[in-house]
Amino acid sequence: MSTSTPANETAMRMLPPGATVGILGGGQLGRMMAMAAAAYGLKTHIFAPDADSPAFEVSGKHSLAGYDDEAALVAFAASVDVVTYEFENIPAESVDLLRRHVPLFPDHMALATTQDRLLEKRFVAALGIPTAPFRDVANRADLAAGLAALGTPAILKTRRFGYDGKGQVKIESADDIDAALAAIGHAPAILEGFVPFEREVSVVGARDRAGGFAAYDVCENVHRHHILDTTTVPSALSAAQCAKAVEAAKRIADALSYVGVLAVEMFVLAGDDSPIIVNEIAPRVHNSGHWTIEGAVTSQFAQHIRAVCGWPLGSTRRNGRVDMRNLIGADIEAWADIVAEPGLHLHLYGKTSARPGRKMGHVTRVLPE
Amino acid sequence: MSTSTPANETAMRMLPPGATVGILGGGQLGRMMAMAAAAYGLKTHIFAPDADSPAFEVSGKHSLAGYDDEAALVAFAASVDVVTYEFENIPAESVDLLRRHVPLFPDHMALATTQDRLLEKRFVAALGIPTAPFRDVANRADLAAGLAALGTPAILKTRRFGYDGKGQVKIESADDIDAALAAIGHAPAILEGFVPFEREVSVVGARDRAGGFAAYDVCENVHRHHILDTTTVPSALSAAQCAKAVEAAKRIADALSYVGVLAVEMFVLAGDDSPIIVNEIAPRVHNSGHWTIEGAVTSQFAQHIRAVCGWPLGSTRRNGRVDMRNLIGADIEAWADIVAEPGLHLHLYGKTSARPGRKMGHVTRVLPE
């Protein structure tokens, strides 16, 4: 599909079955999106730089190329009807190139906002939604001033390219300034004040082309070594707190004119009237939404495919009480025990090497309400 | 995997994630099996003669070759850890060739028995399970004698290669003998007496390597023009009738030392004590089991993959009241209405041409009990 007008501004019809969804990224998220697309009779084309990308196994077409390979990107764009992605760290130049040729959802504004922790925090704060206190850290003086203002402990994070605890360091004392800057390679950063949260939750929701929004029930998450360990739904939050969380996610999605699934990670402080603090926005399907494959009427992957193809959103109704546990690294060795336990749903991503910290799969259980 | 002893007789360990399941047949059943295997981190290799096989789109590897292409079959066998299939009409020579190289489930006995309607009927009857009255029809005299014995109406069916009403003709009067024989091309046949059934049901069940058996709840089926139209679960049968139906399927599976999912189609006569008559055995996943994707804890596709990989069977518990409707030919044109209706699960098979009578997809709805 080649056009001289910005492709996203062209009113896009519902993509029919048989159309091709281009997916940037070949990991487990791309893999599960491709499988959801296939169930709807849509074709997929995965674009990823790693030859052993898990998503290649379940997709009819793939391009093995770097995210900065312009010729490969143009050929990819020409072969698909819409482009989406499994991760937000796509070079801005590649995004600009792609969107000249083919509709891209979620769009470049969602990417630009969420690729940079500082822009993201400013965006959220501008909506009047609580965030952790934060300071822009361009240099050592900024960090010293930020620590003086926010106190310790505080977290220094690179503005870009962080995930699963990568690119961040906890600062316990002002003496740690130099070590902290070294730890993040002196990259442009943001300093975040410590939030004494009681719980971590996320809202996984979707917005369609017409502006409709549908969220799943609030997910309660536990991290281990900065990586998601378990998600439990329903969360322990009150109905009022849940409504507040979903409302924040909806306002974020609306403000971005977002199309697709997004996940908003939040901190919940003690007390039923306490504010809910938005920590991070993921402009994509999210690990804390994996439970929706069996636990909701429409999985987050199917929902994302619906949204980016211009289809109406599906039902986000929950099928029961759900818990999801990630299988990280050597956790995968328990696969035979897991499949022997009735009612456990094993999902493995087809990764060959079970390196420590690597997400190898997940296990979901759905219990009657 | 190459061995000089019959591969199926080698005690097979649980195939680990990362192993490759070979699937003969590239239609929607192979496609949905491949997707189920992928969710478990298993690779698949599809063997099919049609370049536009729907299963190719969701599988990492495929062989495009005829089922009688010995070199291709041997190469296929060498590249996989187990072989299964989506349809029963595989040439016996190909089966014999494959099983010398790699475990094949369900095995050659299940195939030999179910490939031939006459052998199948004799096998079922020998178990003391009711069937329609039947006669071997090798020639015109056999048919005349059969009609005299069984009366009219009766159904003349080719012994081999029939499905969805193909290869069969209804005989209303003894005057139709020659037309009926012509209609089936004078192939070796079986004459079946008319069964005045009230309902059609099927039992979809699985047997694992250790002899464990697990069936889904009895499926009630309605056919239209000899093609499955709808499946509803639970059926209208009494608990006693359901138990009788499941028991018949279990005895069939046990007698075949069956490994994998099988479907047994049955006729139910009026009256709560009436016999349940076995009509046909499908040694594979089955259209009447498609509802299990959302409607049961373990889908028939996942269950089949578990069984053929030596894994324990998953739970067959039902998630609610379920109905499934096939999308045949032009029915697919309603796709946009279907995805707009909350709670309907659309499944499309990625077939490009919606020929009349062609199974293009299905729609499932799960309602609370």
Side-chain angles (χ1 to χ4, degrees):
Chain A
M1 185 168 165
S2 188
T3 165
S4 59
T5 58
N8 276 13
E9 289 165 29
T10 308
M12 203 175 106
R13 72 188 190 296
M14 284 175 74
L15 281 185
T20 301
V21 178
I23 299 174
L24 294 165
Q28 65 269 19
L29 301 183
R31 177 176 168 105
M32 290 187 276
M33 281 195 272
M35 291 164 78
Y40 285 143
L42 294 156
K43 297 185 194 301
T44 53
H45 182 157
I46 308 289
F47 189 107
D50 304 310
D52 60 351
S53 292
F56 289 173
E57 290 285 323
V58 296
S59 180
K61 251 187 167 172
H62 69 260
S63 295
L64 182 63
Y67 296 119
D68 56 355
D69 182 333
E70 296 199 1
L73 287 167
V74 169
F76 170 69
S79 79
V80 302
D81 297 289
V82 67
V83 169
T84 189
Y85 44 87
E86 63 155 16
F87 74 120
E88 52 272 43
N89 292 320
I90 306 159
E93 299 73 20
S94 303
V95 171
D96 288 340
L97 181 65
L98 283 169
R99 71 190 197 87
R100 283 203 299 275
H101 294 277
V102 64
L104 173 85
F105 298 108
D107 77 2
H108 59 293
M109 286 303 301
L111 274 169
T113 306
T114 58
Q115 281 182 342
D116 183 321
R117 290 181 196 278
L118 182 65
L119 297 188
E120 182 178 292
K121 279 277 192 306
R122 284 177 176 160
F123 163 75
V124 172
L127 293 174
I129 296 171
T131 67
F134 63 93
R135 291 293 184 278
D136 181 7
V137 174
N139 53 45
R140 193 180 190 287
D142 287 346
L143 180 53
L147 279 174
L150 305 184
T152 55
I155 319 283
L156 184 68
K157 300 178 176 178
T158 57
R159 286 176 57 173
R160 302 175 71 91
F161 304 118
Y163 73 98
D164 286 352
K166 292 180 174 63
Q168 59 178 268
V169 57
K170 191 170 181 179
I171 302 183
E172 301 281 2
S173 125
D175 299 341
D176 298 341
I177 285 186
D178 292 306
L181 288 169
I184 63 158
H186 301 272
I190 177 174
L191 182 71
E192 298 183 8
F194 182 73
V195 176
F197 62 84
E198 192 182 51
R199 303 175 184 284
E200 291 181 272
V201 300
S202 56
V203 174
V204 178
R207 193 173 177 279
D208 64 21
R209 215 80 66 69
F213 182 82
Y216 296 97
D217 285 348
V218 173
C219 317
E220 183 157 346
N221 305 318
V222 174
H223 290 79
R224 196 172 47 165
H225 311 305
H226 296 284
I227 300 172
L228 183 65
D229 182 23
T230 63
T231 296
T232 306
V233 196
S235 69
L237 269 59
S238 68
Q241 289 285 74
C242 285
K244 204 188 290 182
V246 169
E247 178 58 24
K250 180 180 187 308
R251 283 170 59 204
I252 288 169
D254 284 342
L256 291 169
S257 298
Y258 194 88
V259 174
V261 164
L262 88 172
V264 183
E265 294 189 83
M266 305 175 184
F267 295 135
V268 184
L269 279 67
D272 221 37
D273 295 330
S274 61
I276 289 184
I277 289 173
V278 165
N279 179 42
E280 205 169 308
I281 304 167
R284 52 171 167 81
V285 293
H286 192 258
N287 197 165
S288 68
H290 288 2
W291 62 270
T292 58
I293 296 176
E294 293 88 10
V297 171
T298 310
S299 80
Q300 66 166 344
F301 304 102
Q303 191 78 304
H304 186 76
I305 294 296
R306 281 173 171 256
V308 304
C309 290
W311 295 15
L313 299 179
S315 165
T316 55
R317 190 167 57 80
R318 194 158 42 78
N319 292 328
R321 291 176 297 128
V322 191
D323 58 272
M324 187 285 309
R325 183 165 55 88
N326 267 341
L327 299 176
I328 308 289
D331 291 349
I332 195 179
E333 291 166 15
W335 70 270
D337 297 327
I338 294 164
V339 296
E341 193 170 326
L344 287 189
H345 296 280
L346 175 68
H347 294 262
L348 296 179
Y349 307 146
K351 298 181 182 177
T352 43
S353 151
R355 290 192 300 271
R358 194 170 197 208
K359 291 176 177 171
M360 303 301 293
H362 70 271
V363 185
T364 304
R365 185 200 320 254
V366 183
L367 295 170
E369 285 286 357
Chain B
M1 188 170 161
S2 188
T3 164
S4 59
T5 59
N8 276 13
E9 289 167 27
T10 307
M12 204 176 105
R13 71 190 190 294
M14 284 175 75
L15 280 185
T20 301
V21 178
I23 299 173
L24 295 165
Q28 65 268 20
L29 301 183
R31 177 176 168 104
M32 290 187 275
M33 281 196 272
M35 290 164 78
Y40 285 143
L42 294 156
K43 296 184 195 301
T44 53
H45 182 157
I46 308 290
F47 189 107
D50 304 310
D52 60 351
S53 292
F56 289 173
E57 290 285 323
V58 296
S59 180
K61 252 187 166 173
H62 70 260
S63 295
L64 183 62
Y67 297 119
D68 57 355
D69 181 333
E70 295 200 0
L73 287 167
V74 168
F76 170 68
S79 79
V80 301
D81 297 289
V82 67
V83 169
T84 190
Y85 44 87
E86 63 156 15
F87 74 120
E88 52 271 43
N89 291 321
I90 306 159
E93 300 71 22
S94 303
V95 171
D96 288 340
L97 180 65
L98 284 168
R99 70 191 198 87
R100 283 203 299 275
H101 294 277
V102 64
L104 173 85
F105 297 108
D107 77 2
H108 60 292
M109 285 304 300
L111 275 170
T113 305
T114 58
Q115 281 182 343
D116 183 320
R117 290 181 197 278
L118 181 65
L119 296 189
E120 183 178 290
K121 278 278 191 309
R122 284 177 175 158
F123 162 75
V124 172
L127 293 174
I129 297 171
T131 67
F134 63 94
R135 292 292 185 278
D136 180 7
V137 175
N139 52 45
R140 194 181 190 288
D142 287 346
L143 179 54
L147 278 175
L150 304 184
T152 54
I155 320 284
L156 184 68
K157 299 178 176 177
T158 58
R159 286 175 58 173
R160 303 175 70 91
F161 304 118
Y163 72 98
D164 286 351
K166 292 181 174 62
Q168 59 179 269
V169 56
K170 192 170 181 180
I171 302 182
E172 302 280 2
S173 124
D175 299 340
D176 299 342
I177 285 185
D178 292 307
L181 287 170
I184 64 159
H186 301 272
I190 177 175
L191 182 71
E192 299 183 8
F194 182 72
V195 176
F197 62 84
E198 192 182 52
R199 302 175 184 285
E200 291 181 273
V201 300
S202 57
V203 174
V204 178
R207 192 173 177 279
D208 66 20
R209 216 79 65 68
F213 181 83
Y216 296 97
D217 285 347
V218 173
C219 318
E220 183 157 346
N221 305 318
V222 174
H223 291 79
R224 196 172 47 164
H225 310 307
H226 296 285
I227 301 173
L228 183 66
D229 182 23
T230 64
T231 296
T232 306
V233 196
S235 69
L237 269 59
S238 68
Q241 290 285 72
C242 285
K244 205 189 290 182
V246 169
E247 177 59 23
K250 180 179 188 308
R251 283 169 59 204
I252 287 169
D254 285 342
L256 291 169
S257 298
Y258 194 88
V259 174
V261 164
L262 89 172
V264 183
E265 294 189 82
M266 305 175 186
F267 295 135
V268 184
L269 279 68
D272 221 37
D273 295 330
S274 61
I276 289 183
I277 290 173
V278 165
N279 179 42
E280 204 169 309
I281 304 168
R284 52 170 169 82
V285 293
H286 191 258
N287 197 166
S288 68
H290 288 2
W291 62 270
T292 59
I293 295 176
E294 293 89 10
V297 171
T298 311
S299 80
Q300 66 166 347
F301 304 102
Q303 191 78 305
H304 186 76
I305 293 296
R306 281 173 172 256
V308 303
C309 290
W311 295 16
L313 299 179
S315 166
T316 54
R317 191 167 56 80
R318 193 159 41 80
N319 292 328
R321 291 176 298 128
V322 191
D323 58 273
M324 188 285 309
R325 183 165 54 88
N326 268 341
L327 299 176
I328 308 289
D331 291 350
I332 194 177
E333 291 166 15
W335 70 270
D337 297 326
I338 294 165
V339 296
E341 192 170 328
L344 286 189
H345 297 280
L346 174 68
H347 294 261
L348 296 180
Y349 307 145
K351 298 180 182 177
T352 44
S353 150
R355 290 192 299 271
R358 195 171 196 207
K359 290 176 177 171
M360 302 302 293
H362 70 272
V363 186
T364 304
R365 185 199 319 255
V366 183
L367 295 170
E369 285 286 358

